[in-house]
Amino acid sequence: MTATVPANARSSLASFYDSVIGKKVVMAVTGLILFGFVVVHMLGNLQIYLGPQAINRYAELLRVSPGLLWGARLVLLGAVGLHILTALQLAKRKMDARPQGYQKYTPTTSSYASRTMLWSGPILAAFIVYHLLHLTVGSVHGDFREMQVYHNVVSGFRVIPVSIAYIVAMAALGIHMHHGVWSLFQSLGVAHPRYTPLLKKFAAAAAVVVVAGNISIPVSVMLGILK
Amino acid sequence: MKLTLHVWRQRSSQDSGRMVRYELADVNPDMSFLEMLDVLNEQLLSKGEEPVAFDHDCREGICGSCGFVINGVAHGPQRGTTVCQLHMRHYHDGDELYLEPWRAAAFPVVKDLVVDRGALDRIIAAGGFISVQTGAAPDGNAIPVPKGNADMAMDAAQCIGCGACVAACPNASASLFTAAKVSHLNLLPQGQPEKADRVLKMVVQANEELFGSCTNIGECTSVCPKGIPLEMIARMNRDYLSAALVRR
Ligand code: HEM
Ligand code: FES
C-alpha cells in the first residue's frame, strides 16, 4: 500500500464512461445543459414581439463580452458534441446487443417519443447546423445583414420552405424533449412514485411551451403579424 | 378453436433458423399456453418430426424457466404473468400467433425457443450475494429492518430471472434484472458491507455480457411477470453513481 494517487484513478473514470450507466449520465448532464439552453433561447427569441429595437439590443447585449460569448458557445458546443458522440456509441451498443431482431415486435406501454430518440436527435443535429448557417453566420440566408436580427428573422421566414423546415425541426425538438426531459432524471437516479409522474408532466409541458413559443415566430411572419 | 402458429425453429446454435407454420385444430380454451404446445409436440412426434423445444419447469409462474415472445410481446398479452400462466381462453378461433425466442446477443439460441440465459447467472455471481459466516440460524429479529426498506427489498426480490425485460427492451438491456438483484440486497442491512462493490461489479458484468444501455423506455416493467417498477433502475443508477464517485 502506498500513499500515492491510486493507479486505477484514470481507469476508474474510463470504466465509469465505459459502463452502460456512465454513458447515460453523460447523456443526462449534456441533455440538461441543452434543455436549459433551449428554454433561455426561446425566451430570447420571443423578444421579437417587442419590436426591432428590443431584439437587436438583446443581440448586442449577448455580444458585450467576447469572452463570455465564446465561453457559453464552447460549453454548448461541448455539450452537443458529447451528447452526439455518446448517442452514437449507445446506438452502436443497441445494434450489437440485438444483432437479430424480432419478426414481430409490439410495444406495450412505451411512448413514441422514447422509441424515436435516435430519429428526433439526428433531425435536431441537422437543424442545429442549418440554423447556425442561416441566422448566425448567414451564409444560407438570401438577405443577411450583420447584427440586424429582426430583419434577418422576418426576411428569413418569408421564404415558406424555410419556415416549414423550422416548424418540422421544432416538432422533433418537442418529441425529443418529451422523453428526454424526464428520462434524464431517471438516468441520474431521481425517481419516486410521488415525483416521477410530475416530472413526466413537467417534461411534456416544457416541450409544448418551448415548441409553441418558437413555432409562433415563423407562423407570425407567414401570417403577416410580424413584418 | 383453430389456431395458426408460426414458430421459430432452429436446430442448434449453429443453425440459422426459420419460422415454420403449424395448424392446430382443436385447442381447448382451458389449456395453458404450454399445454397447447405440448399438444402440438404430440402431433409432431406422432408424425416423426422433431418437437418444438421450449423451457419450462414449475408451470406455476414462480421458477422463471419459461418464456418466449408471442406476437411481439414477451410472455404474451396478459400483464403480470409468465407464459406458463397464460391460458388459451385469451385467444380466439382463427388467431395467428408468432412465437419467437428472447432475442439478445447475450442470450444465444440453444434450440427453437430455448435460449442460454447464463449471462444473468454471471451477473448474480459478480455480486448478487452477501458474504456471511454460516452456522446456527440467527435470531429472526436480531437486525431491525425499516418496514419501507423491507417492502421494497421484497418487491425487488420477486424477480425470477426469466429474462423478459431483456427480450422486451429495444436496447436489449438487462437493467431491470440487474437493478432488482442489486436493490434487493442493497436495501437490507445485511447487504451494506458490500453495497458499493456489488453495484459496481454487477453493472460491469452486465456490460461485459453485451447487454444494451437503458434509455428509460419502460417496456421491461410492462412485461415483467412480477411487475418490478422502473424506479428500481433509478435506484441502481443512484447506487452506481455514488459508488463510482466515492470509490478509492
Ligand atoms: C443534436 C443532436 C441530438 C442527438 C443525436 C440526440 C440523441 C439523443 C439520444 C440517442 C438520447 C438517448 C435516448 C434516451 O435517453 O432515451 C438522447 C437523450 C436526451 N437528449 Fe438528445 N440528442 C440531440 C440533441 C438534443 C438537444 C438539442 C437537446 C435539448 C433539448 C437534447 C436533450 C436530451 C435529453 C434531456 C436527453 C435525456 C438524457 C437521459 O435520458 O438521461 N438532445 N438524445
Ligand atoms: S415454468 Fe416456471 S415460471 Fe413458467
Side-chain angles (χ1 to χ4, degrees):
Chain A
M1 288 296 234
T2 59
T4 51
V5 177
N8 65 354
R10 196 209 74 87
S11 73
S12 76
L13 190 65
S15 81
F16 174 75
Y17 183 70
D18 193 38
S19 83
V20 285
I21 298 177
K23 285 206 179 49
K24 286 315 304 285
V25 170
V26 173
M27 283 316 271
V29 172
T30 54
L32 188 62
I33 293 172
L34 296 173
F35 169 55
F37 167 74
V38 292
V39 171
V40 173
H41 187 33
M42 181 216 48
L43 293 174
N45 292 344
L46 289 182
Q47 295 182 46
I48 194 145
Y49 293 109
L50 301 179
Q53 279 90 13
I55 188 130
N56 290 350
R57 198 164 349 101
Y58 174 63
E60 279 161 28
L61 185 75
L62 289 180
R63 285 166 178 76
V64 165
S65 149
L68 224 59
L69 177 69
W70 277 101
R73 282 177 173 174
L74 282 179
V75 168
L76 287 171
L77 206 64
V80 170
L82 263 180
H83 195 81
I84 294 179
L85 177 70
T86 313
L88 291 176
Q89 290 173 332
L90 287 174
K92 175 169 186 325
R93 181 144 198 122
K94 173 178 172 153
M95 288 190 293
D96 291 347
R98 180 169 290 136
Q100 179 164 15
Y102 293 104
Q103 310 219 341
K104 252 185 195 287
Y105 177 78
T106 320
T108 55
T109 52
S110 58
S111 69
Y112 175 77
S114 73
R115 284 178 271 116
T116 50
M117 295 300 270
L118 279 169
W119 285 101
S120 54
I123 293 175
L124 289 175
F127 169 73
I128 291 168
V129 173
Y130 171 72
H131 177 50
L132 288 176
L133 294 178
H134 184 232
L135 288 174
T136 303
V137 180
S139 56
V140 297
H141 191 295
D143 181 16
F144 188 79
R145 297 184 199 159
E146 204 64 50
M147 290 315 291
Q148 296 199 26
V149 176
Y150 188 91
H151 164 83
N152 292 339
V153 169
V154 172
S155 63
F157 285 152
R158 285 219 181 102
V159 184
I160 304 290
V162 170
S163 280
I164 291 174
Y166 270 81
I167 291 170
V168 169
M170 285 306 108
L173 176 63
I175 292 171
H176 203 77
M177 284 174 65
H178 178 75
H179 178 66
V181 172
W182 84 267
S183 171
L184 78 90
F185 290 100
Q186 170 86 8
S187 295
L188 293 174
V190 180
H192 191 280
R194 204 156 45 231
Y195 308 118
T196 300
L198 291 178
L199 282 175
K200 287 189 180 181
K201 287 198 187 108
F202 169 74
V208 168
V209 168
V210 168
V211 169
N214 282 338
I215 283 184
S216 77
I217 298 169
V219 169
S220 296
V221 171
M222 287 193 291
L223 293 179
I225 298 168
L226 284 174
K227 50 191 166 217
Chain B
M1 67 178 117
K2 207 169 146 281
L3 290 180
T4 304
L5 300 180
H6 301 264
V7 185
W8 182 260
R9 300 306 309 263
Q10 182 173 342
R11 251 169 263 132
S12 69
S13 52
Q14 264 68 48
D15 184 18
S16 54
R18 73 220 65 87
M19 295 301 271
V20 178
R21 183 190 159 103
Y22 299 102
E23 305 276 350
L24 218 51
D26 267 315
V27 177
N28 179 335
D30 293 332
M31 285 196 270
S32 75
F33 206 94
L34 299 189
E35 284 165 341
M36 183 273 291
L37 288 184
D38 292 337
V39 171
L40 170 69
N41 280 345
E42 298 273 332
Q43 294 182 5
L44 291 177
L45 279 169
S46 68
K47 283 192 276 182
E49 288 175 34
E50 188 77 11
V52 176
F54 58 90
D55 260 327
H56 62 106
D57 188 10
C58 70
R59 295 210 179 191
E60 44 186 44
I62 55 173
C63 75
S65 298
C66 66
F68 42 81
V69 172
I70 306 172
N71 283 354
V73 181
H75 287 307
Q78 187 171 261
R79 301 279 67 86
T81 40
T82 50
V83 74
C84 61
Q85 289 294 293
L86 174 66
H87 288 80
M88 297 315 294
R89 56 177 168 271
H90 297 289
Y91 293 97
H92 307 286
D93 191 48
D95 276 358
E96 210 162 329
L97 306 180
Y98 288 76
L99 313 190
E100 298 177 73
W102 292 165
R103 294 279 185 211
F107 287 169
V109 173
V110 176
K111 187 175 183 183
D112 300 338
L113 302 175
V114 177
V115 299
D116 178 356
R117 284 167 290 186
L120 299 185
D121 297 336
R122 291 187 288 276
I123 293 176
I124 298 282
F129 52 80
I130 57 168
S131 307
V132 288
Q133 299 287 340
T134 52
D139 178 15
N141 287 323
I143 306 173
V145 182
K147 170 91 168 85
N149 283 18
D151 286 351
M152 206 172 320
M154 282 302 285
D155 286 349
Q158 284 198 70
C159 169
I160 53 177
C162 64
C165 47
V166 177
C169 175
N171 298 301
S173 171
S175 289
L176 194 65
F177 168 82
T178 311
K181 297 304 179 189
V182 166
S183 301
H184 156 205
L185 297 173
N186 277 12
L187 277 158
L188 295 174
Q190 293 86 342
Q192 296 314 301
E194 290 154 305
K195 181 174 175 179
D197 222 31
R198 171 177 304 113
V199 67
L200 291 171
K201 286 185 173 156
M202 291 175 77
V203 167
V204 165
Q205 190 64 35
N207 224 33
E208 283 173 4
E209 298 291 350
L210 260 187
F211 286 112
S213 178
C214 172
T215 58
N216 306 319
I217 286 177
E219 286 296 328
C220 53
T221 300
S222 159
V223 299
C224 175
K226 303 299 162 183
I228 312 258
L230 209 57
E231 189 194 339
M232 285 300 170
I233 297 181
R235 179 171 282 284
M236 167 177 72
N237 293 352
R238 201 149 74 217
D239 285 355
Y240 179 82
L241 261 180
S242 60
L245 297 180
V246 303
R247 180 176 48 170
R248 287 161 196 267

